[in-house]
Amino acid sequence: KNQVEQSPQSLIILEGKNCTLQCNYTVSPFSNLRWYKQDTGRGPVSLTIMTFSENTKSNGRYTATLDADTKQSSLHITASQLSDSASYICVVSMDSNYQLIWGAGTKLIIKP
Amino acid sequence: DGGITQSPKYLFRKEGQNVTLSCEQNLNHDAMYWYRQDPGQGLRLIYYSQIVNDFQKGDIAEGYSVSREKKESFPLTVTSAQKNPTAFYLCASSPGLAGGPRADTQYFGPGTRLTVL
């Protein structure tokens, strides 16, 4: 079954600290993987996208990695800010039918 | 929210009523989508449309209906047949089909929270 699993479900860290969010997938055939940020009560906003041949992609303080062999991705946030408090969602696209498989997200809370 | 508007932001419905959620985009995108988001779950696709006057069922289309009479508009009707409609509804658009070979980015609206009383 094509699935995307994210961990942890929720995470609380202090402002200024780094953190890493995980995304494991069983989607096949794989096309690309995207990370979204969703503020509470708002729509998701795309952060990064990686294809099979890419293993890292940065967007400011956000760095995503992809290991297509182990079917794992991570999102690393450096020097966290209060505005980073949000849910982070991993989405994998299937190469065969362009279907998008959405993870349930990780809820990140940054405390001052 | 990138040129996509949804209204209303909050909607309350009595059991047995149909309600229509509005979604408008000014991005000139061909593809539009409706998702449902429930706590602890990933987004689930209700309907999507690749071009005007055409739309396809997603994973959970039962109890919902859509129309695409104009490129910029994709309203969603939640009918009384939908047994558990309380949820956060998100509309999105993309230049072409998201997940396709161009990997077009989806742009989301601010969402409508529907509550059944």
Side-chain angles (χ1 to χ4, degrees), chain A residues 12-86:
Chain A
I12 302 174
I13 64 172
L14 292 175
E15 186 180 9
K17 298 296 185 183
N18 302 338
C19 67
T20 300
L21 314 180
Q22 298 292 339
C23 172
N24 297 338
Y25 61 92
T26 58
V27 178
S28 181
F30 173 89
S31 177
N32 60 71
L33 184 148
R34 194 186 293 270
W35 283 92
Y36 280 91
K37 178 186 179 186
Q38 183 179 20
D39 292 321
T40 301
R42 308 286 290 176
V45 175
S46 179
L47 291 175
T48 65
I49 180 172
M50 288 178 292
T51 60
F52 185 88
S53 59
E54 298 173 299
N55 56 23
T56 187
K57 185 76 71 79
S58 290
N59 177 358
R61 294 179 297 100
Y62 301 102
T63 299
T65 64
L66 174 65
D67 185 334
D69 291 332
T70 61
K71 298 187 177 181
Q72 295 180 326
S73 176
S74 65
L75 181 69
H76 185 75
I77 304 175
T78 304
S80 61
Q81 300 176 358
L82 296 179
S83 60
D84 293 330
S85 293

Side-chain angles (χ1 to χ4, degrees), chain B residues 18-51:
Chain B
N18 293 351
V19 291
T20 297
L21 283 59
S22 169
C23 177
E24 304 278 332
Q25 54 103 355
N26 62 4
L27 301 169
N28 199 34
H29 287 170
D30 286 321
M32 296 188 74
Y33 316 78
W34 274 105
Y35 288 95
R36 171 180 171 141
Q37 188 174 36
D38 294 284
Q41 297 187 41
L43 270 65
R44 291 185 289 169
L45 182 64
I46 303 173
Y47 270 98
Y48 68 99
S49 168
Q50 290 184 257
I51 56 173

Side-chain angles (χ1 to χ4, degrees), chain B residues 4-113:
Chain B
I4 298 183
T5 59
Q6 291 185 240
S7 62
K9 188 168 180 63
Y10 298 98
L11 186 58
F12 298 90
R13 188 195 92 172
K14 293 181 180 179
E15 287 191 18
Q17 283 184 335
N18 293 351
V19 291
T20 297
L21 283 59
S22 169
C23 177
E24 304 278 332
Q25 54 103 355
N26 62 4
L27 301 169
N28 199 34
H29 287 170
D30 286 321
M32 296 188 74
Y33 316 78
W34 274 105
Y35 288 95
R36 171 180 171 141
Q37 188 174 36
D38 294 284
Q41 297 187 41
L43 270 65
R44 291 185 289 169
L45 182 64
I46 303 173
Y47 270 98
Y48 68 99
S49 168
Q50 290 184 257
I51 56 173
V52 175
N53 292 322
D54 184 60
F55 47 84
Q56 306 296 327
K57 291 182 178 180
D59 301 318
I60 56 165
E62 185 175 351
Y64 300 97
S65 66
V66 294
S67 62
R68 187 89 186 273
E69 297 176 1
K70 298 186 296 182
K71 186 175 186 178
E72 56 271 21
S73 179
F74 192 40
L76 173 74
T77 296
V78 184
T79 74
S80 56
Q82 170 49 237
K83 296 307 178 189
N84 186 23
T86 295
F88 188 52
Y89 290 87
L90 286 161
C91 178
S93 71
S94 58
L97 189 63
R102 296 190 321 188
D104 285 337
T105 298
Q106 286 179 304
Y107 294 85
F108 284 84
T112 292
R113 187 166 297 280

